[in-house]
Amino acid sequence: MKKIYKNILGLLTLGLVFTSCDNYLDEVPKGSKVPTTLADFEAFIRDEYTNQSVDVTQALNLLNDKYVTIASISSDRFVKANYMWDEEANRIVLNQADEGTFYRSYAGISTFNLIIENALTATEATEEQKRAVWAEAKILRAMNYFNLANFYADTYQASTAATKLSVPLITSASINAPSKQVSIQEIYDFILKDVNEALPYLPKVSQTALHPNLGAGYAFYARVYLQMNNYTEALKYADLALAENNKLYNWVQNYNTYKAIIIDPNSDTTTPSPMGYNYVENYSYRHGSSTSLGTENSIPVERAARFEAGDARFLSRWKLRTVGADTYYRRILSGNFNYGGMTTVEVYLIKAECLARAGQITQALDVLNTVRKTRILPEVYQDITTSDQATALNAIFKTKNNELILTIVPFADARRLNAEGVYKVSFTKVDAGTTYTLSSESHLWTMPFPQGATNNPGNGTITQNVSK
């Protein structure tokens, strides 16, 4: 993984040279400094372009959650294979340059390893301050491994997790650190251990939106346990997270504030995104891909049709546009977007699913409708009511997919549900008279490692988890 470390060394622009028990450089370049104080190490958490970037573009392409132009489909065969659900395409061969998800994730992991190795012995800080930064790095490292495991490996299933390979596990910031591709069970055990060790030291109030607080730790724990189908533990930590922050943003009010601009079909004026650093639903904030730190993605017409009627959150974010040969819902917000962090709305919907799974349908729908009341215009809003578990769960899944669109969550959820085999996720679309289908059993649900990683795996080996 030499390229990982090339990317990391690019962080020298911050004026810092990474060091650990094995020094990266024998001599410190003039004008640079070796990090020694806690402030030096904590500064790496603020590097948004690398350490806080969560790029899952190909997952968005596969779900058709992100609009891809006709020109892009024509020019990029790997994008086309995912976006058009081409079962015959050899994505291993085609994935020659789509490396952002892999290398940026591991660049962040190396940085978090550096902090974890050195924060507790850093200078100019109290023991409590050092433990807090150490714990924050553990949560961020765990988040990166969760994203990688749910992108490049099969989803977690208790019956097969110990025998299927996941992603390379690296626990040191040293350039020569060993890289072992571990099992799915091992990577989840590692993630759970990181979170468990971090929780006692996470501050209740974040230093910045980029620093995970206690609520973020609880919320992420709930996400991980849900992915493992452990609904009891997921519900437990969802409740703990909501005790830290249970605020929901009023998207109905946002829509009414900007309604004149939104409903004007000829207006291209953008409105400010509420989903930035100060979003009331944030536990922690992380960007999407590094190329779109301040840009919302547009979505396909077919995807827009899956939003609930009167969804103010949808109406406030996208507007139908035709540009040349492309017709899609164009972004109408400007600012920042929390595509990679933890939010209260996700936790509400985790709680709703766990309650429904336990047969507590009324309580689950109370939670679901609490969310919907802040989203659906009152003139069309109606409570969802049912005594049927499947109907309740499908309503929860629909709302969650819409709420967490353009994040890894709908992709991870679909894989989890497909593996469970009860609430399978599949898609069909018609393009230029041809019908395309993404089945719940498709191998396309797992992304291939990029060729740069498999051809140059550093101090280890990487085995592809897909056949093509």
Side-chain angles (χ1 to χ4, degrees), residues 14 17 27 39 45 50 71 169 171 178 204 222 258 287 293 298 313 374 380 399 463:
L14 296 176
V17 176
E27 297 182 5
I45 293 177
T50 302
L169 178 62
T171 59
K204 290 180 72 67
Y258 300 104
H287 292 287
L293 294 191
S298 296
R313 191 169 187 264
T374 65
V380 297
T399 298
T463 300

Side-chain angles (χ1 to χ4, degrees), residues 232-269:
T232 301
E233 290 298 297
L235 178 59
K236 170 186 172 181
Y237 286 103
D239 279 333
L240 287 170
L242 291 172
E244 296 295 318
N245 179 14
N246 65 355
K247 296 183 179 69
L248 289 169
Y249 183 74
N250 192 329
W251 279 94
V252 173
Q253 182 178 341
N254 182 89
Y255 173 80
N256 288 329
T257 299
Y258 300 104
K259 183 175 180 180
I261 296 172
I262 292 169
I263 66 174
D264 182 353
N266 299 314
S267 174
D268 288 323
T269 302

Side-chain angles (χ1 to χ4, degrees), residues 87-145:
E87 294 272 353
E88 301 305 316
N90 190 331
R91 296 180 304 158
I92 295 172
V93 173
L94 296 178
N95 192 12
Q96 299 182 37
D98 192 74
E99 301 175 330
T101 301
F102 188 88
Y103 286 117
R104 286 190 176 276
S105 295
Y106 277 106
I109 285 168
S110 188
T111 301
F112 304 138
N113 285 339
L114 179 80
I115 296 171
I116 292 165
E117 290 174 332
N118 292 279
L120 298 183
T121 57
T123 61
E124 299 182 25
T126 66
E127 186 65 25
E128 181 181 7
Q129 290 169 332
K130 289 188 281 188
R131 279 287 178 185
V133 172
W134 175 85
E136 290 160 352
K138 284 220 160 208
I139 294 294
L140 290 167
R141 179 172 72 176
M143 287 181 172
N144 275 22
Y145 274 123

Side-chain angles (χ1 to χ4, degrees), residues 133-375:
V133 172
W134 175 85
E136 290 160 352
K138 284 220 160 208
I139 294 294
L140 290 167
R141 179 172 72 176
M143 287 181 172
N144 275 22
Y145 274 123
F146 178 89
N147 294 336
L148 286 164
N150 281 281
F151 195 85
Y152 293 114
D154 287 350
T155 194
Y156 181 91
Q157 288 182 280
S159 60
T160 59
T163 58
K164 287 187 175 182
L165 285 175
S166 184
V167 297
L169 178 62
I170 307 173
T171 59
S172 170
S174 170
I175 287 179
N176 296 315
S179 164
K180 180 185 178 184
Q181 188 176 3
V182 298
S183 71
I184 295 171
Q185 186 65 57
E186 288 174 298
I187 204 72
Y188 270 84
D189 287 345
F190 183 83
I191 291 167
L192 292 173
K193 183 174 181 288
D194 256 1
V195 180
N196 184 59
E197 291 178 349
L199 283 177
Y201 306 104
L202 290 171
K204 290 180 72 67
V205 179
S206 301
Q207 185 173 352
T208 74
L210 302 174
H211 294 70
N213 56 22
L214 182 59
Y218 287 145
F220 179 63
Y221 227 178
R223 178 191 283 183
V224 176
Y225 276 120
L226 183 72
Q227 199 66 28
M228 299 175 73
N229 304 305
N230 188 333
Y231 307 117
T232 301
E233 290 298 297
L235 178 59
K236 170 186 172 181
Y237 286 103
D239 279 333
L240 287 170
L242 291 172
E244 296 295 318
N245 179 14
N246 65 355
K247 296 183 179 69
L248 289 169
Y249 183 74
N250 192 329
W251 279 94
V252 173
Q253 182 178 341
N254 182 89
Y255 173 80
N256 288 329
T257 299
Y258 300 104
K259 183 175 180 180
I261 296 172
I262 292 169
I263 66 174
D264 182 353
N266 299 314
S267 174
D268 288 323
T269 302
T270 59
T271 60
S273 166
M275 296 181 288
Y277 305 108
N278 298 320
Y279 192 36
V280 298
E281 297 184 1
N282 286 349
Y283 291 111
S284 64
Y285 180 95
R286 305 191 82 187
H287 292 287
S289 67
S290 62
T291 57
S292 59
L293 294 191
T295 305
E296 175 92 299
N297 287 306
S298 296
I299 65 174
V301 173
E302 296 84 0
R303 180 62 185 86
R306 298 207 298 271
F307 280 85
E308 195 173 340
D311 189 328
R313 191 169 187 264
F314 164 72
L315 296 171
S316 297
R317 293 174 71 178
W318 296 284
K319 185 182 294 187
L320 187 64
R321 281 285 182 267
T322 296
V323 180
D326 296 286
T327 297
Y328 55 95
Y329 275 81
R330 185 180 184 276
R331 57 184 179 262
I332 59 174
L333 292 180
S334 59
N336 292 304
F337 304 88
N338 190 357
Y339 287 148
M342 300 302 307
T343 57
T344 58
V345 70
E346 179 182 352
V347 176
Y348 270 103
L349 295 169
I350 289 174
K351 178 176 181 175
E353 179 179 345
C354 292
L355 289 170
R357 295 275 189 177
Q360 301 178 56
I361 308 302
T362 300
Q363 296 91 325
L365 293 179
D366 285 344
V367 175
L368 174 62
N369 288 325
T370 296
V371 171
R372 293 177 61 250
K373 285 172 185 173
T374 65
R375 270 56 175 169

Side-chain angles (χ1 to χ4, degrees), residues 58-84:
Q58 293 305 327
L60 306 184
N61 289 342
L62 188 77
L63 292 175
N64 280 205
D65 277 356
K66 170 182 175 289
Y67 183 71
V68 177
T69 65
I70 294 172
S72 294
I73 292 174
S74 299
S75 63
D76 192 321
R77 294 174 63 197
F78 184 56
V79 169
K80 181 180 180 180
N82 286 320
Y83 195 72
M84 302 306 293

